[in-house]
């Protein structure tokens, strides 16, 4: 996971830039109170520089790579268009600090972080009617710094997980309409939710909590035996809220502590009807917003047929639930509108043994009921409308050293096989050098089980984000190595590295 460029990070980046710019002058002028810079940067050209995002083109014959130039080597960013054979077909200059790429039909949306100076966050919309030559349609000033963007083909609304006014849990909704495209801030949920899925059938957005910090969040096995009223009165009836979070007045008032175990159900259809031109902003204190928070808990069976609780946990009791947290990415099921996939992360501290021992998997989530509140405002329990099945992890594809850390995922059909693709990425910011690990993996879904993986502990051979064509050609960014690596995925056989592009 490439870390967000927080205010602190921006400050450090500015300092490092200043030091680098002044170094040559200081060598010649030992007595000076400052450095008046006239910085000169090499041209970026068609090079790959700090690539942070990659997507497949609508024609399935091209990849689009977003160069962020985070270390300010070139003082510029770009989109490099690469064909399926690795040939660079076009370069489109864009600002630095690119963040995301998203494709919907023949539209490509690119977002950029604020550079901490005069340039605020923005998005650029391109037309991909000619897949090899993106044409700029519109530049959009964004209301927040983007963390992730989710779009769906044929659906005009899209979601932006972002940071606004220090809140990493902000949400913006966009309306895709060519030159009339707009992006509006609609929520401040308080906790980042990068893993998002748009259910186009029911017009709902599901957004799951993501640990963007030092990876300290952990799944918890908690008791929910009773319900507590606002006056502290008890009812012997579970209500999904862990008793630990409501048994005292202080616990009941501190709703922020529970947010890392809550996903969000945002009603796109209803909010669009409330304000068709610009989705309304509602504060977290709004009663409707409170009803959008839902508890996430599950205990799926592993490939051995045993649920997580059989590993020594207490969730086998009637009043226990295994509450989960830290989801990085979601991917829709291209063949089932009532299902999507989630990458679930977690680690265990080697010294204390504390953490999430039953994480680092990919789940297939099925919509089995209606998540919308009832007419009387009653919010349905998660277990009544979502089902969870583990499809990756806890099986033969587990890494022996426990270094797997699933990030972005995709589901595609290749050579007749329905396949799951997984990118593992332990970055250099949140992990020690001995703990980093990077991999791209592929697994067939269904009865014909097959799995293959290409992994590396070398940051300069790292894999960050990936894109896959229907023919099995896969491309992955090497953020630290400033290159793109092409692979051939042969279902049932192997993942073969084909070419590195710099």
């Amino acid at each position: 996971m490439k870390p967000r460029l927080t205010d602190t990070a921006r400050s450090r980046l500015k300092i490092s830039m200043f030091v680098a710019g002044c170094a040559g002058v200081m060598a010649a002028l030992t007595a000076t109170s400052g450095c008046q810079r006239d910085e000169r940067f090499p041209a970026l050209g068609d090079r790959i520089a700090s690539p942070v995002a990659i997507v497949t083109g609508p024609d399935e014959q091209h990849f689009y790579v977003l160069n962020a130039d985070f270390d300010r080597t070139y003082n510029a960013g770009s989109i490099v268009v690469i064909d399926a054979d690795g040939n660079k077909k076009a370069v489109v200059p864009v600002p630095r600090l690119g963040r995301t790429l998203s494709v919907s039909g023949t539209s490509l949306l690119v977002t950029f972080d604020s550079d901490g100076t005069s340039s605020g966050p923005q998005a650029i919309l391109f037309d991909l009617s000619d897949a090899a030559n993106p044409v700029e349609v519109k530049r959009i000033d964004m209301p927040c710094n983007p963390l992730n963007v989710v779009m769906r083909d044929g659906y005009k609304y899209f979601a932006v997980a972002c940071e606004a006014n220090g809140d990493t849990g902000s949400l913006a909704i966009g309306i895709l309409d060519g030159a009339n495209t707009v992006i509006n801030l609609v929520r401040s949920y308080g906790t980042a939710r990068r893993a998002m899925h748009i259910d186009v059938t029911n017009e709902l957005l599901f957004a799951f909590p993501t640990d963007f910090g030092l990876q300290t969040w952990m799944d918890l096995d908690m008791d929910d035996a009773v319900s507590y009223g606002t006056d502290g009165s008890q009812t012997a009836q579970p209500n999904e809220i862990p008793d630990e979070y409501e048994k005292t007045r202080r616990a009941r008032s501190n709703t922020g502590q529970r947010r890392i175990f809550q996903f969000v159900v945002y009603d796109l259809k209803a909010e669009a009807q409330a304000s068709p031109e610009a989705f309304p902003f509602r504060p977290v204190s709004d009663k409707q917003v409170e009803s959008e928070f839902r508890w996430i808990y599950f205990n799926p069976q592993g490939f051995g047929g045993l649920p997580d609780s059989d590993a020594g946990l207490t969730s086998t009791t009637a009043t226990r639930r295994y509450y989960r947290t830290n989801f990085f990415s979601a991917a829709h099921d291209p063949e089932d509108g009532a299902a999507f996939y989630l990458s679930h992360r977690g680690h265990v501290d080697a010294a204390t043994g504390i953490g999430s021992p039953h994480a680092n998997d990919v789940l297939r989530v099925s919509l089995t009921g209606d998540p919308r509140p009832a007419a009387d405002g009653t919010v349905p329990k998660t277990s009544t409308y979502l089902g969870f099945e583990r499809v990756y992890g806890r099986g033969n594809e587990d890494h022996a050293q426990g270094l797997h850390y699933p990030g972005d995922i995709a589901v595609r059909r290749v050579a007749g096989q329905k396949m799951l693709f997984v990118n593992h990425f332990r970055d250099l910011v949140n992990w020690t050098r001995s703990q980093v690990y990077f991999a791209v993996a592929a697994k067939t879904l269904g009865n014909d089980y097959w799995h293959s993986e290409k992994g590396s502990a070398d940051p300069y051979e790292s894999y960050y984000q990936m894109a896959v064509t229907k023919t099995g050609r896969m491309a992955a960014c090497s953020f630290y190595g400033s290159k793109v690596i092409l692979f051939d995925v042969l279902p049932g056989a192997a993942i073969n590295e084909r070419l590195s592009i710099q």
Side-chain angles (χ1 to χ4, degrees), residues 10 27 95 111 226 266 298 301 303 305 309 376 393 411 436 445:
R10 290 190 191 96
T111 66
V226 298
Y266 179 89
F298 52 83
Q301 292 185 346
F303 294 108
S309 57
D376 63 359
V411 178
V436 299
L445 296 173

Side-chain angles (χ1 to χ4, degrees), residues 145-178:
N145 284 304
L147 304 178
N148 192 28
V149 176
V150 173
M151 310 175 85
R152 292 290 304 275
D153 281 346
Y155 191 64
K156 66 178 180 179
Y157 303 132
F158 60 92
V160 182
C162 55
E163 177 183 11
N165 302 317
D167 175 21
T168 59
S170 296
L171 173 69
I173 298 296
I175 304 175
L176 186 62
D177 186 19

Side-chain angles (χ1 to χ4, degrees), residues 250-264:
R250 182 175 183 179
R252 290 191 295 275
S253 63
N254 186 11
T255 56
Q257 67 177 335
R258 61 181 69 174
R259 298 307 188 204
I260 68 171
F261 300 107
Q262 292 179 315
F263 67 104
V264 163

Side-chain angles (χ1 to χ4, degrees), residues 36-79:
Q36 189 170 4
R37 298 177 298 164
D38 181 14
E39 293 181 283
R40 295 183 180 181
F41 299 91
L44 175 58
D46 66 353
R47 297 180 181 91
I48 305 296
S50 307
V52 293
I54 187 167
V55 292
T56 305
D59 65 345
E60 299 280 338
Q61 297 295 320
H62 293 85
F63 298 106
Y64 304 95
V65 181
L66 179 59
N67 282 324
D69 186 35
F70 268 93
D71 56 4
R72 205 185 182 202
T73 299
Y74 303 101
N75 202 36
S78 69
I79 299 170

